[in-house]
Amino acid sequence: MDLAGLLAFNVITGIATLVLITLGLGVIYGMMRIINLAHGEFMMLGAYTAVMASGAGVNIWIAMLVLPPLVVGAIGLILERTVIRFLYGRMMDTMLATWGISLGLIGLITTLYGNVVRGVSTPVGSFDIGRYGASLYSLVIVATALAALGAMFLVLRFTKFGLILRATMQNPRMAAALGVQPNRIYMATFALGAALAGLAGGVLAPISGVSPAMGAAYIARAFITVLGGGPAIVTGTGLASSLFGVINELVSYKTTPVIGDVALLVAAILLIRVLPQGITGRYLRRSL
């Protein structure tokens, strides 16, 4: 029973991690149809923000949960205004542009901080599940993922901004005819997606090595989960993360983490083969 409880706890943590690394990409790709290959580097910037802020004496919780989304959201806004806004409707061009941005960010951070692995101390301890120990920080990851999903749902469902955002993404010409400025909505949406990626990087910094190339470890799983979830950001991210998180953790437990990642990829291929538009493209079409 102790081992089963620990396994269930690890599965929940794995699902929450997938939610965190996917939600920002879901906003940018799911709503704007931009293949953001710099998503992993936005997470990396969030992690470095947490490292630098905590090293400067900033409270660890502010360094992980507040500053990364603010800093990376501002960087995303600048990149949208200077690069991305000229490429809307040109998917291949935006893919190449964000790939170039990712390479540029990796080079910039490597030049500034070197190609070394840094870290942030975990701010909480551990607890016991029977005879086994588990990190309390996993509960922080779970709580942050739930809060991020809940906040996105509330914003999209109950706020004027969420209504305008969804309307603009569905029919920008009609929104413009009603007095909305689509360019500002695109700017805010891209910045929001970048901020969520920064939050993920800040939260995951204490449990992963922080280095210029760390984004590569997350980008593939993020895209797989977004494609598997389909067009509904909140529902799709939650369902796909739950499915793939369970598969990854269970297979990793029975074999190795590498085989777990392979199983996640195979499951994603099968899911997209059966449901080309993702889970919410076939079911729950009216969900957010």
Side-chain angles (χ1 to χ4, degrees):
M1 290 300 294
D2 297 341
L3 185 59
L6 180 63
L7 179 59
F9 182 73
N10 289 337
V11 168
I12 293 172
T13 304
I15 292 171
T17 302
L18 268 182
V19 168
L20 280 177
I21 69 175
T22 303
L23 192 56
L25 186 64
V27 170
I28 293 176
Y29 177 74
M31 301 194 75
M32 305 178 71
R33 292 301 168 193
I34 292 176
I35 300 177
N36 180 25
L37 295 182
H39 177 74
E41 282 58 55
F42 286 167
M43 291 182 58
M44 177 265 290
L45 291 177
Y48 267 94
T49 300
V51 169
M52 295 300 108
S54 63
V58 177
N59 178 274
I60 186 64
W61 297 108
I62 296 176
M64 292 189 310
L65 301 177
V66 178
L67 292 181
L70 292 178
V71 171
V72 182
I75 293 173
L77 187 150
I78 293 171
L79 290 173
E80 194 279 339
R81 289 289 87 187
T82 56
V83 180
I84 304 300
R85 74 186 181 101
F86 300 107
L87 304 175
Y88 289 130
R90 297 152 56 185
M91 184 171 289
M92 288 300 296
D93 291 345
T94 54
M95 183 174 68
L96 291 173
T98 54
W99 181 44
I101 289 171
S102 73
L103 295 178
L105 291 175
I106 292 174
L108 177 63
I109 296 300
T110 301
T111 302
L112 293 175
Y113 301 109
N115 192 21
V116 296
V117 178
R118 298 170 181 265
V120 179
S121 300
T122 304
V124 291
S126 61
F127 67 101
D128 294 329
I129 301 178
R131 295 178 291 118
Y132 302 95
S135 173
L136 273 172
Y137 193 71
S138 296
L139 296 178
V140 175
I141 295 175
V142 173
T144 305
L146 289 174
L149 270 182
M152 279 300 303
F153 176 79
L154 293 175
V155 168
L156 293 176
R157 179 67 177 84
F158 296 108
T159 68
K160 182 179 179 180
F161 170 74
L163 177 62
I164 293 174
L165 190 154
R166 289 185 286 132
T168 302
M169 296 305 165
Q170 292 178 13
N171 195 330
R173 292 184 178 180
M174 181 61 72
L178 295 173
V180 175
Q181 297 186 35
N183 286 338
R184 290 189 176 182
I185 301 302
Y186 293 149
M187 176 183 67
T189 304
F190 194 87
L192 174 61
L196 289 170
L199 173 65
V203 172
L204 296 178
I207 63 170
S208 64
V210 179
S211 67
M214 65 175 288
Y218 298 108
I219 186 68
R221 283 188 289 169
F223 268 107
I224 286 171
T225 308
V226 167
L227 292 175
I233 299 171
V234 177
T235 306
T237 298
L239 291 176
S241 297
S242 298
L243 174 63
F244 296 148
V246 169
I247 292 172
N248 186 28
E249 291 296 329
L250 290 180
V251 175
S252 296
Y253 168 72
K254 289 292 186 181
T255 56
T256 66
V258 174
I259 302 300
D261 289 339
V262 172
L264 188 154
L265 176 61
V266 171
I269 292 173
L270 293 175
L271 175 64
I272 295 172
R273 181 68 180 86
V274 176
L275 302 173
Q277 296 180 333
I279 298 172
T280 58
R282 178 69 179 272
Y283 308 104
L284 305 171
R285 292 183 179 181
R286 294 183 178 274
S287 58
L288 294 176

